[in-house]
Amino acid sequence: MSDDAKKDDVGTPHAPVENPKDATRDEPATAVGTPVQADAAQAAKPGAGATPEAAAAQSTSAAALEAGGQNVPAQPARTPLEVVDVRHGMFGAHGSGDTSGYGGLVVPVVMPGPSERPYGGWFDEVVDVLTELLDASGTGFANAIESVVVDRDELTLHVAREHVVEVAQALRDDPDLRFELGLGVSGAHYPHEQGRELHAVYHVTSVTHGRRLRFEVAVSDDDPHIPSTTGVYPGHDWHERETFDFFGIVFDGHPGLARIEMPDDWPGHPQRKDYPLGGIPVEYKGATIPPADQRRSYS
Amino acid sequence: MSTLHATGHLVDEQTQGVPTFEANGGDWSQIAEEAARLGEERIVVNMGPQHPSTHGVLRLMLEIDGETVTEARAGIGYLHTGIEKNMEFRTWTQGVTFCTRMDYVAPLFQEAAFCLGVEKLLGVTDDIPERASVIRVLMMELNRITSHLVCIATGGNELGATTIMTVGFTAREEILKIFELISGLRMNHAYIRPGGVAQDVPPGTVAETRKALELVKGYMRQLEDIMLANPILHLRLKDVGYLGLAGCMALGITGPMLRCTGLPYDVRKAFPYSGYETYEFDVPTATSGDSWGRLVVRLEEIYQSIRIVEQALDRLDANPGPVMVADKKIAWPAQLAIGTDGMGNSLDHIREIMGTSMEALIHHFKLVTEGFRVPAGQVWQTVEHPRGELGVHLVSDGGTRPYRAHFRDPSFNNLQATSILCEGGQVADVVVSVASIDPVLGGVDR
């Protein structure tokens, strides 16, 4: 199967997951960097039309300016993709005598990888200003920002946790950035992303410039500490409490990091993937329906 | 991992020896006398959970000095039902049924925000039929009117002005009838679906809605007559619960609370969705930043919503198109129809899948049980909710169910202002201040 055909397959939302004849099935976990899979991951970005599809290492701004307005390079460099899971089989059938061939399917679940300049629209300007500010402060853009992802017309900055407060402060205060409205902290748990299991996701809006972006901090399960951004965005107070409550991410420096939705003495953090939904089987006219988290999952 | 707690909960031993009082209705003066007799300087009043003046199960902890509130804290979580967690175990389409139950006073906004987010993940935002977007706008704006009416009505009721409540709820009833006509339900509609809406509006909707709007305008005039020049209302609301622009921006507060400080920030204008940029409407503001300003802004927003609804009705007349995206791999296979045994899949569709096309039957079965797959990635979609900016953070891992669905509910965020609104004011003003935030605890706790 050619790369192009595969691209079409995965690029449409309703695409059948993967062709069983795909070479990827033979090397599930290690095959991440192969060109075939990298293509699949890029093609899974429907919003990538306006942006270069290539996923190259973070270029410097000078190089980016040079490349500005150009089309996608013919042979872009490959970068590691964010593999969050590897999915086996289909239809939720496991361990049965599967004759359909779908049982042997192996699909890596990859999040959109880092983008290459130009990011398009005002994204370049924001990243340029941020680069300037972080380099001037001595932190260095490359140290603070792990990667820049443009996907579905949204800009995501992956921020190293020790610099998250500085990045937030720069985003809020610089007149050219002015993301003055902090709209809260969400969380996500990716148990298969070794060493980066817990993500805190911040969304900020610039009322002044009519822009919004997302910055994301990933920490490991063993050391789930992130500096609190309440000093920059006081409105993040309850949002960080909620993310602590549901994911167990500890926001250092928060004025009162207590549980907010669950009772104070609740054990565990319910939004983690390893936390069961609970629920009891429902019986109706003799038939029993299992709780939602124990039903067939259509992997 | 060990469970981390920043604060332990209060155990009975710690409260021993502390005098406690329980207030149920009109015995406040007795309690005040008793407290004065004991000579306690610091009195902590626990209001709720489930005080009739709070919009749901909200708990307020007030420290008072005489009649002055020196410290106010809000305790939430009593209505937490794990909707976000539940959504991770249902298909993308079923998710609508869950998120509509979050803020039950404004259910259509959660539905719309969620569906717009799913469509963005799918990359079909531009394929949504015009008529579906018009119906969404129509439903959302009608819902905004009902939500503001509930806020004004209950706010009046909390001050003892029962007439404001009865007029407000009567007006809301007229719109709930329209909701029932269109979606079959008065609340928790699950009417907006990824790709469009569940079904087209029934015949006669436009005429009925126009009729209802005239009635609502009449009730609005009544409300304004009894409220806007009422000296008691002026005394109770003006300069009470003040929060200026700087405070609002710092606390991430949006919606009428922000607009009553003079900043016309409205997601419908700033980041338009569902074609809002093509409608003519104004963003009302006030400059007082107090409870009165919020009331005035809400009243004016109802009129602006009526303007939008009228434009949407004209477009419904002009545009008979489909109400679901053309992509058969996303669109629900059947339109609903009324049969002899109630509403269900249309008989034509059943005849086709059961009688003539095995493939159509398989397709129907797959789409309804398994659902459609959504490419991996994350999106952030916001809409202008009656209470502020409602944000939806959706993560997909390429499967048929949301990997993570987070709702940034505006009431949740805005309730953080409780302390700053109430501290330094009188106990009686706490009720006014909290009412002016207009929190709905179903949305706060989710």
Side-chain angles (χ1 to χ4, degrees):
Chain A
M1 189 183 186
S2 79
D3 283 4
D4 283 344
K6 196 165 152 55
K7 219 179 234 184
D8 288 343
D9 258 359
V10 189
T12 44
H14 44 77
V17 189
E18 293 244 335
N19 192 312
K21 285 184 288 187
D22 196 328
T24 55
R25 58 185 298 198
D26 295 322
E27 23 186 9
T30 53
V32 178
T34 66
V36 175
Q37 283 180 333
D39 262 357
Q42 284 155 15
K45 299 189 290 177
T51 60
E53 300 204 348
Q58 183 64 52
S59 356
T60 64
S61 40
L65 287 173
E66 224 171 299
Q70 299 300 311
N71 285 329
V72 188
Q75 270 308 99
R78 306 285 182 203
T79 50
L81 295 162
E82 232 181 297
V83 177
V84 291
D85 201 354
V86 177
R87 198 178 282 147
H88 297 262
M90 214 178 172
F91 312 124
H94 295 286
S96 65
D98 173 32
T99 53
S100 71
Y102 282 102
L105 204 64
V106 177
V107 188
V109 177
V110 285
M111 289 311 218
S115 305
E116 192 193 54
R117 283 177 183 270
Y119 305 125
W122 53 266
F123 296 165
D124 290 280
E125 189 195 328
V126 165
V127 177
D128 284 342
V129 175
L130 204 56
T131 310
E132 209 175 288
L133 289 169
L134 291 171
D135 286 344
S137 77
T139 306
F141 182 80
N143 294 329
I145 310 291
E146 293 165 347
S147 64
V148 179
V149 179
V150 177
D151 176 46
R152 295 171 168 93
D153 295 330
E154 291 181 3
L155 177 63
T156 308
L157 306 173
H158 288 264
V159 182
R161 68 165 166 195
E162 54 272 27
H163 301 300
V164 62
V165 176
E166 189 189 345
V167 170
Q169 186 92 44
L171 286 172
R172 189 194 73 176
D173 289 345
D174 189 86
D176 292 330
L177 300 174
R178 201 66 92 205
F179 289 87
E180 65 274 80
L181 193 59
L183 286 179
V185 186
S186 173
H189 184 210
Y190 302 98
H192 298 271
E193 227 189 319
Q194 294 292 322
R196 293 164 56 86
E197 287 92 350
L198 296 164
H199 289 227
V201 188
Y202 306 77
H203 291 97
V204 290
T205 297
S206 169
V207 178
T208 311
H209 299 294
R211 298 165 174 176
R212 48 192 179 194
L213 64 77
R214 165 192 306 122
F215 57 97
E216 196 168 332
V217 181
V219 291
S220 76
D221 208 353
D222 308 321
D223 181 26
H225 289 265
I226 297 177
S228 171
T229 52
T230 47
V232 182
Y233 297 109
H236 283 185
D237 181 350
W238 282 18
H239 297 277
E240 287 186 352
R241 281 178 66 188
E242 187 187 334
T243 308
F244 160 70
D245 194 354
F246 287 156
F247 292 93
I249 300 176
V250 180
F251 293 92
D252 296 323
H254 187 282
L257 195 69
R259 286 185 180 269
I260 188 162
E261 299 289 359
M262 309 304 289
D264 278 348
D265 53 352
W266 192 265
H269 300 285
Q271 285 281 2
R272 291 185 174 213
K273 287 289 171 187
D274 51 7
Y275 192 100
L277 179 64
I280 52 166
V282 177
E283 191 178 317
Y284 181 68
K285 291 193 175 173
T288 308
I289 299 146
D293 57 340
Q294 287 163 34
R295 290 177 203 161
R296 183 188 307 188
S297 65
Y298 301 102
S299 52
Chain B
M1 206 194 85
S2 65
T3 311
L4 293 144
H5 301 299
T7 52
H9 59 288
L10 200 66
V11 291
D12 286 346
E13 290 161 21
Q14 289 170 292
T15 57
Q16 275 171 8
V18 180
T20 54
F21 309 97
E22 204 165 300
N24 295 301
D27 48 3
W28 185 253
S29 57
Q30 291 168 25
I31 288 175
E33 280 165 25
E34 179 72 6
R37 192 182 60 75
L38 285 167
E40 283 284 339
E41 287 175 3
R42 180 170 176 265
I43 299 177
V44 179
V45 178
N46 178 54
M47 204 167 148
Q50 188 73 309
H51 187 272
S53 294
T54 56
H55 302 215
V57 195
L58 173 67
R59 179 181 174 211
L60 292 171
M61 290 151 278
L62 311 171
E63 193 177 310
I64 57 170
D65 179 9
E67 276 286 323
T68 309
V69 178
T70 53
E71 242 187 282
R73 294 283 178 272
I76 61 168
Y78 298 94
L79 272 181
H80 177 59
T81 44
I83 294 178
E84 291 175 357
K85 180 85 174 173
N86 265 289
M87 288 172 79
E88 293 171 12
F89 293 90
R90 267 54 172 221
T91 66
W92 292 93
T93 307
Q94 287 172 317
V96 177
T97 320
F98 280 82
C99 67
T100 190
R101 285 162 166 75
M102 290 179 170
D103 187 334
Y104 40 77
V105 179
L108 287 152
F109 290 91
Q110 279 92 243
E111 295 178 18
F114 174 74
C115 291
L116 288 166
V118 176
E119 287 154 11
K120 207 168 167 185
L121 271 173
L122 287 165
V124 298
T125 306
D126 297 334
D127 303 333
I128 305 307
E130 170 72 19
R131 189 175 172 88
S133 290
V134 173
I135 295 174
R136 287 178 180 183
V137 169
L138 172 82
M139 296 297 271
M140 278 193 279
E141 293 308 321
L142 287 172
N143 202 176
R144 192 184 312 280
I145 299 172
T146 63
S147 176
H148 281 342
L149 282 169
V150 168
C151 171
I152 294 164
T154 54
N157 189 43
E158 286 161 10
L159 297 175
T162 321
T163 316
I164 296 176
M165 183 199 65
T166 52
V167 174
F169 273 95
T170 317
R172 174 175 179 257
E173 199 60 30
E174 297 300 331
I175 297 176
L176 291 191
K177 283 179 194 162
I178 303 296
F179 284 160
E180 193 174 354
L181 177 70
I182 294 176
S183 75
L185 295 161
R186 293 154 53 90
M187 287 171 83
N188 304 335
H189 314 274
Y191 176 66
I192 299 173
R193 302 277 173 86
V197 295
Q199 57 177 330
D200 203 351
V201 294
T205 302
V206 175
E208 285 298 317
T209 312
R210 284 192 205 281
K211 229 185 283 174
L213 282 186
E214 288 314 308
L215 291 170
V216 170
K217 283 181 195 167
Y219 289 120
M220 283 297 291
R221 276 190 291 275
Q222 285 184 30
L223 274 178
E224 287 173 349
D225 285 347
I226 53 174
M227 290 175 89
L228 289 182
N230 187 326
I232 301 172
L233 210 62
H234 277 254
L235 286 169
R236 291 300 310 272
L237 297 188
K238 279 198 169 165
D239 298 326
V240 169
Y242 173 80
L243 185 61
L245 177 59
C248 282
M249 293 308 287
L251 287 173
I253 284 166
T254 45
M257 276 187 88
L258 176 63
R259 289 192 284 271
C260 84
T261 65
L263 182 71
Y265 176 66
D266 188 314
V267 186
R268 293 174 292 176
K269 293 281 191 194
F271 305 98
Y273 49 92
S274 294
Y276 265 113
E277 66 276 16
T278 59
Y279 293 86
E280 260 183 52
F281 66 101
D282 300 322
V283 179
T285 55
T287 50
S288 57
D290 57 2
S291 302
W292 180 259
R294 284 166 213 145
L295 170 71
V296 174
V297 165
R298 288 198 177 99
L299 283 170
E300 188 51 41
E301 277 186 15
I302 291 178
Y303 284 110
Q304 295 301 327
S305 290
I306 291 174
R307 258 177 93 184
I308 301 173
V309 169
E310 282 168 346
Q311 295 170 52
L313 290 175
D314 292 341
R315 293 185 196 190
L316 276 189
D317 276 340
N319 185 348
V323 295
M324 196 34 114
V325 70
D327 190 337
K328 291 290 179 202
K329 291 289 181 185
I330 298 170
W332 208 244
Q335 283 283 304
L336 295 174
I338 295 176
T340 48
D341 55 348
M343 185 174 266
N345 289 330
S346 76
L347 288 174
D348 287 340
H349 178 71
I350 292 172
R351 207 168 288 129
E352 190 200 342
I353 62 173
M354 299 308 284
T356 64
S357 172
M358 168 70 91
E359 288 74 21
L361 177 66
I362 294 171
H363 178 253
H364 182 119
F365 180 74
K366 284 274 287 175
L367 200 57
V368 172
T369 56
E370 181 180 359
F372 50 79
R373 287 177 189 276
V374 174
Q378 58 179 339
V379 290
W380 172 248
Q381 173 70 45
T382 69
V383 301
E384 184 66 31
H385 190 278
R387 281 164 266 290
E389 187 162 5
L390 171 74
V392 180
H393 177 224
L394 293 176
V395 183
S396 173
D397 66 346
T400 57
R401 307 179 302 186
Y403 189 75
R404 166 83 169 125
H406 172 70
F407 283 69
R408 184 262 187 205
D409 188 87
S411 328
F412 174 81
N413 188 87
N414 294 359
L415 255 189
Q416 293 184 97
T418 309
S419 311
I420 201 168
L421 292 182
C422 299
E423 284 172 8
Q426 297 209 311
V427 179
D429 292 339
V430 170
V431 172
V432 175
S433 301
V434 172
S436 77
I437 301 176
D438 187 21
V440 172
L441 272 290
V444 172
D445 291 339
R446 288 156 285 136

